[in-house]
């Protein structure tokens, strides 16, 4: 019940296309859902995050869609660029705890 | 310039030796964390500390030890009891339980 299931494991998208990464969870106590971007050999960097009181959050080309009833959330990267090629991790946490549960990551490659 | 520093970037160790990884933050964050990352896997929590002189085991604490004598420092020791220590180690910090975790650049440990 503490798992966050992330798919797909890898994704190849043409430049200008839309990249979509999905995550699903079971624990309804989760109330904070961040996405991290990680380049090879670097630490993850926060990309965008959402709380369950909203269904969508947009920052530039990055959008999180949140479906509370389905216990799913997804990252959409619009107009994908080669510079977006990285590994993306979703995560979930419960208010009052410091513990993040991470998905297993999606390796995105955007072809020029 | 605020942030999290980890040193060294690369570390090589012979089997049977203990080794200590450094993590320092100047963000004035209360909480600090250590994660382990293996290829194709998500981040797994080793230890976390919510306050100075206090820390808790994460999901994979066996073979590791930590200390938190200062707010800004959270060193991780990989002991000879850790059966498979070769991995990428990430340190993170956050200001409060529900706040975002920020990651350092990581240390890649290789056991020869």
């Amino acid at each position: 019940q503490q798992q966050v299931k992330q798919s797909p494991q890898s994704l190849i998208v043409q430049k200008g296309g839309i990249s979509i990464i999905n995550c699903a969870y079971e624990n309804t106590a989760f109330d904070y859902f961040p996405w991290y971007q990680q380049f090879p050999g670097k630490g993850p960097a926060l990309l965008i995050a959402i709380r369950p009181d909203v269904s969508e959050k947009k920052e530039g080309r990055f959008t999180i869609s949140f479906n509370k009833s389905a216990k799913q959330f997804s990252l959409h990267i619009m107009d994908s660029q080669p510079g977006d090629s990285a590994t993306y991790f979703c995560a979930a946490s419960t208010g009052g705890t410091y513990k993040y549960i991470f998905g297993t990551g999606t390796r995105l490659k955007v072809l020029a | 310039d605020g942030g999290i520093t980890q040193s060294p970037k690369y570390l090589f160790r012979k089997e049977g030796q203990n080794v200590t990884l450094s993590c320092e933050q100047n963000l004035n964050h209360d909480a600090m964390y250590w994660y382990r990352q293996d290829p194709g896997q998500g981040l797994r929590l080793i230890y976390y500390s919510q306050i100075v002189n206090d820390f808790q085991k994460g999901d994979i604490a066996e073979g590791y030890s930590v200390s938190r004598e200062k707010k800004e420092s959270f060193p991780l020791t990989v002991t000879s009891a850790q059966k498979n220590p070769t991995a990428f180690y990430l340190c993170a910090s956050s200001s409060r339980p529900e706040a975002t975790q920020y990651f350092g650049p990581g240390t890649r440990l290789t056991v020869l």
Side-chain angles (χ1 to χ4, degrees):
Chain A
Q1 198 179 22
Q2 281 291 87
Q3 281 187 323
V4 175
K5 295 183 180 179
Q6 184 172 346
S7 63
Q9 190 174 4
S10 62
L11 182 61
I12 299 175
V13 172
Q14 293 287 339
K15 180 182 176 182
I18 302 174
S19 305
I20 302 174
I21 303 170
N22 301 298
C23 285
Y25 63 97
E26 289 296 323
N27 187 351
T28 55
F30 287 147
D31 61 2
Y32 182 65
F33 302 90
W35 284 90
Y36 285 85
Q37 178 189 56
Q38 184 181 29
F39 293 104
K42 306 292 184 185
L46 178 71
L47 196 59
I48 187 172
I50 198 167
R51 295 193 183 275
D53 52 344
V54 296
S55 60
E56 186 175 280
K57 183 174 181 180
K58 185 176 180 179
E59 290 184 5
R61 294 185 295 109
F62 301 92
T63 300
I64 298 179
S65 297
F66 186 82
N67 187 329
K68 191 173 181 178
S69 60
K71 292 184 283 187
Q72 296 176 347
F73 58 109
S74 59
L75 176 69
H76 296 235
I77 306 175
M78 313 300 287
D79 187 26
S80 299
Q81 299 297 313
D84 297 330
S85 297
T87 299
Y88 293 82
F89 292 95
C90 62
S93 71
T94 307
T97 75
Y98 290 85
K99 200 171 175 184
Y100 278 21
I101 307 298
F102 282 89
T104 51
T106 296
R107 183 175 289 184
L108 171 66
K109 181 167 183 146
V110 181
L111 301 176
Chain B
D1 216 10
I4 302 171
T5 57
Q6 291 185 241
S7 61
K9 187 174 176 65
Y10 299 97
L11 189 56
F12 297 90
R13 184 196 97 175
K14 291 183 180 179
E15 276 194 35
Q17 289 181 337
N18 292 355
V19 64
T20 297
L21 283 59
S22 169
C23 177
E24 304 274 333
Q25 54 98 0
N26 61 4
L27 300 168
N28 200 34
H29 285 174
D30 286 326
M32 297 186 74
Y33 316 79
W34 274 105
Y35 290 90
R36 171 181 171 137
Q37 185 175 27
D38 295 284
Q41 296 193 33
L43 282 67
R44 293 183 290 168
L45 184 65
I46 304 172
Y47 268 98
Y48 64 103
S49 168
Q50 300 181 15
I51 198 168
V52 175
N53 292 323
D54 184 59
F55 47 82
Q56 287 81 41
K57 293 182 179 179
D59 300 318
I60 55 165
E62 186 176 349
Y64 300 98
S65 66
V66 294
S67 63
R68 186 87 185 276
E69 296 176 2
K70 297 186 296 182
K71 186 175 184 177
E72 58 270 22
S73 178
F74 191 40
L76 173 74
T77 297
V78 184
T79 74
S80 56
Q82 168 51 232
K83 290 182 173 34
N84 185 20
T86 294
F88 191 49
Y89 289 88
L90 289 159
C91 178
S93 71
S94 66
S95 59
R96 60 191 189 279
E98 64 272 25
T100 299
Q101 291 184 20
Y102 295 93
F103 285 84
T107 291
R108 185 166 300 280
L109 172 64
T110 303
V111 174
L112 305 171

